């Protein structure tokens, strides 16, 4: 009976791994895990699970388990495009392409590990640095306190030690559809950013409180320079919606894109941002710290909705807003597909940049920090 359970466990592992089963919400990556041959002892016994995985730096990763475990085997390998994400399933004794890659068939990183005294935390010390934004996988087997095994495969992204300082400079919260010279055109939601210091965008996230994580935009691993302007478009619809992740910054031709400015697109046709009251946030996905944000509200709004209010508290706690109360939000009155919210102190920031001076962050905002003016994507 036990051998049959183990056989079924192997099949389930491969199937779930390929399907990308996610059982835990782990930032900056998701977790895929299953059990092999677990024999339940007693009605109240719970097999250990992975509770948290943290990428500490370029060479260190920690894994926290819910109960004491013993590490049997572990491999850290780079993700291989077209193989690590393969959907092919092996119906023989050989591993599928995806699991073969995860187990180190196409290369692995030498790794030393330490198990904490309580047996719940594994610290992985990689013998070479991971690359910013590059995909990796941890494939391993641990044993629980009664001898059953937990087999897992967890993807993670190379640590980014060069997060740039950035601020939101313009936000187009309205979507519009119209015609121009007989052609249908779409003007989608976007957010404009100004980079204040050199760095890499990997691990940054853009989302709004009303939309939640389900509609967030995750920045790609792109090197940016001080003074650079970025446009993140939240709706891909119509022609010319091309993400400029390389050196050519003239690829995008859709409305609200700009030549010479890096246009980035979220592959989604869904609506973004509440039309009257919302909070837009730029967040570090590694530690959840808020880098910048914008609060706007209808003039007659008396309080934040329950799903929005916690983010207002975070903005105030981060020093980006002097208050979390909705009265500190800028008015959204007058916003249209051709009129957007624009930062009022932008010229002060630009002068500092041009003079080569440091800009003290955060820039503290209040109800008068943003105004509704004619949309001007890419033009500071």
């Amino acid at each position: 009976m036990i051998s049959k359970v183990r056989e079924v466990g192997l099949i389930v592992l491969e199937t779930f791994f390929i399907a990308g089963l996610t059982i835990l919400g782990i930032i900056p990556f998701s977790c895929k895990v299953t059990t092999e041959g677990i024999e339940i002892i007693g009605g109240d016994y719970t097999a250990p699970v992975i509770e948290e995985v943290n990428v500490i730096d370029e060479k260190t990763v920690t894994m926290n388990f819910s109960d004491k475990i013993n590490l049997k085997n572990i491999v850290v390998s780079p993700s291989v495009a077209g193989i690590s994400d393969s959907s092919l399933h092996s119906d023989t004794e050989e591993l599928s392409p995806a699991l073969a890659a995860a187990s180190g068939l196409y290369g692995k990183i030498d790794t030393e590990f330490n198990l904490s005294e309580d047996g719940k935390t594994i610290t992985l010390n990689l013998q070479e640095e991971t690359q910013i934004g590059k995909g990796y996988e941890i494939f391993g087997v641990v044993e629980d306190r009664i001898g059953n095994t937990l087999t897992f495969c967890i993807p993670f992204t190379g640590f980014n030690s060069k997060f740039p300082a950035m601020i939101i400079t313009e936000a187009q919260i309205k979507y519009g559809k119209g015609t121009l010279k007989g052609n249908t055109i779409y003007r989608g939601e976007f957010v404009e950013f100004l980079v204040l210091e050199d760095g890499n965008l990997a691990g940054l996230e853009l989302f709004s409180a009303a939309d939640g994580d389900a509609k967030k935009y995750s920045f790609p691993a792109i090197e940016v320079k001080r003074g650079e302007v970025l446009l993140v478009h939240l709706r891909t619809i119509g022609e010319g919606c091309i993400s400029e992740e390389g050196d050519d910054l003239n690829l995008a031709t859709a409305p609200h894109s700009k030549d010479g400015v890096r246009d980035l697109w979220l592959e989604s046709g869904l609506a973004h941002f509440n039309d009257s009251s919302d909070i837009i946030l730029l967040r570090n996905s590694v530690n959840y710290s808020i880098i910048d944000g914008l609060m706007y509200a209808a003039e007659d709004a008396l309080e934040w909705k329950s799903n929005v209010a916690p983010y207002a508290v975070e903005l105030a706690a981060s020093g980006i807003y002097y208050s979390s109360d909705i009265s500190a939000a800028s008015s959204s009155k007058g916003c249209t597909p051709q009129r957007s919210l624009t930062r009022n102190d932008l010229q002060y920031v630009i002068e500092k940049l041009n003079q080569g001076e440091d800009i003290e962050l955060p820039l503290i905002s209040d109800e008068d920090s943003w105004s509704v003016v004619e949309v001007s994507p890419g033009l500071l």
Side-chain angles (χ1 to χ4, degrees):
M1 178 65 181
I2 296 299
S3 62
K4 290 183 179 179
V5 173
R6 291 182 180 276
E7 181 179 353
V8 171
L10 284 171
I11 295 173
V12 171
L13 167 63
E14 190 165 84
T15 302
F16 282 7
F17 173 76
I18 293 171
L21 176 67
T22 301
I23 67 165
L24 293 174
I26 296 175
I27 299 299
F29 43 77
S30 61
C31 171
K32 298 178 286 187
V33 62
T34 184
T35 56
E36 176 196 356
I38 292 295
E39 181 182 359
I40 303 301
I41 306 297
D44 60 349
Y45 175 77
T46 302
V49 296
I50 300 171
E51 291 186 327
E52 188 176 28
V53 180
N54 291 309
V55 182
I56 305 302
D57 56 34
E58 296 92 334
K59 300 175 69 174
T60 310
V61 180
T62 61
M63 303 177 62
N64 297 327
F65 291 79
S66 61
D67 202 352
K68 182 177 181 179
I69 52 90
N70 180 37
L71 179 61
K72 305 297 290 184
N73 185 43
I74 200 159
V75 177
V76 179
S77 60
S79 295
V80 182
I83 298 179
S84 297
D85 56 356
S86 170
S87 61
L88 294 177
H89 172 71
S90 175
D91 55 6
T92 69
E93 293 183 356
E94 296 182 355
L95 290 174
S96 67
L99 283 181
S103 62
L105 180 63
Y106 300 97
K108 59 183 179 181
I109 299 175
D110 291 338
T111 304
E112 296 178 354
F113 70 88
N114 295 305
L115 188 61
S116 62
E117 290 186 6
D118 62 6
K120 294 183 179 181
T121 301
I122 300 173
T123 300
L124 304 177
N125 297 304
L126 283 58
Q127 300 305 293
E128 63 181 73
E129 292 187 357
T130 54
Q131 299 178 31
I132 295 175
K134 181 177 174 58
Y136 297 87
E137 295 179 302
I138 305 172
F139 182 74
V141 180
V142 297
E143 187 177 71
D144 69 6
R145 57 187 173 85
I146 60 173
N148 293 316
T149 56
L150 173 75
T151 305
F152 58 86
C153 186
I154 302 172
F156 71 94
T157 303
F159 182 79
N160 184 4
S161 59
K162 303 192 304 180
F163 282 111
M166 293 168 53
I167 58 171
I168 299 171
T169 51
E170 183 179 354
Q172 173 52 266
I173 64 173
K174 297 280 190 175
Y175 165 76
K177 177 182 177 181
T179 58
L180 180 64
K181 298 181 180 179
N183 298 317
T184 301
I185 60 171
Y186 305 90
R187 293 185 174 89
E189 307 92 327
F190 71 82
V191 178
E192 180 188 79
F193 297 91
L194 176 60
V195 180
L196 303 183
E197 65 181 11
D198 298 356
N200 193 292
L201 300 177
L204 295 181
E205 296 177 335
L206 169 66
F207 70 105
S208 86
D211 291 339
D213 281 347
K215 292 184 178 181
K216 71 182 179 183
Y217 173 78
S218 298
F219 285 82
I222 296 175
E223 295 286 332
V224 292
K225 299 292 185 181
R226 175 183 168 98
E228 188 172 340
V229 178
L230 308 172
L231 288 169
V232 176
H233 306 265
L234 282 307
R235 194 188 301 229
T236 301
I237 186 169
E239 298 180 353
C241 303
I242 303 172
S243 276
E244 299 165 342
E245 299 185 17
D247 295 330
D248 191 345
L249 303 184
N250 299 324
L251 297 176
T253 58
H256 288 163
S257 64
K258 177 68 175 176
D259 282 352
V261 170
R262 191 178 300 280
D263 291 281
L264 301 170
W265 299 81
L266 175 66
E267 293 184 5
S268 169
L270 300 176
H272 284 75
F273 307 144
N274 184 279
D275 281 349
S276 58
S277 302
D278 203 348
I279 298 176
I280 299 173
L281 298 149
L282 176 65
R283 180 174 70 184
N284 178 336
S285 67
V286 176
N287 59 17
Y288 274 12
S289 62
I290 304 299
I291 297 172
D292 198 18
L294 159 62
M295 303 197 309
Y296 63 87
E299 288 190 327
D300 58 351
L302 299 178
E303 61 181 16
W304 295 114
K305 291 183 178 180
S306 59
N307 61 323
V308 176
Y311 294 102
V313 173
E314 283 194 49
L315 273 181
S318 300
I320 296 171
Y321 268 80
Y322 77 91
S323 171
S324 62
D325 192 84
I326 199 169
S327 62
S330 296
S331 173
S332 60
K333 183 180 180 180
C335 284
T336 71
Q338 298 277 33
R339 294 178 64 81
S340 61
L341 287 155
T342 301
R343 184 184 285 273
N344 290 332
D345 59 0
L346 191 52
Q347 289 307 310
Y348 159 79
V349 176
I350 293 173
E351 288 177 7
K352 288 282 189 178
L353 283 176
N354 292 339
Q355 295 169 4
E357 298 180 10
D358 292 334
I359 299 168
E360 187 176 350
L361 296 176
L363 297 176
I364 303 175
S365 295
D366 59 22
E367 63 273 21
D368 297 320
S369 296
W370 296 79
S371 297
V372 178
V373 299
E374 184 176 353
V375 66
S376 59
L379 296 173
L380 299 181

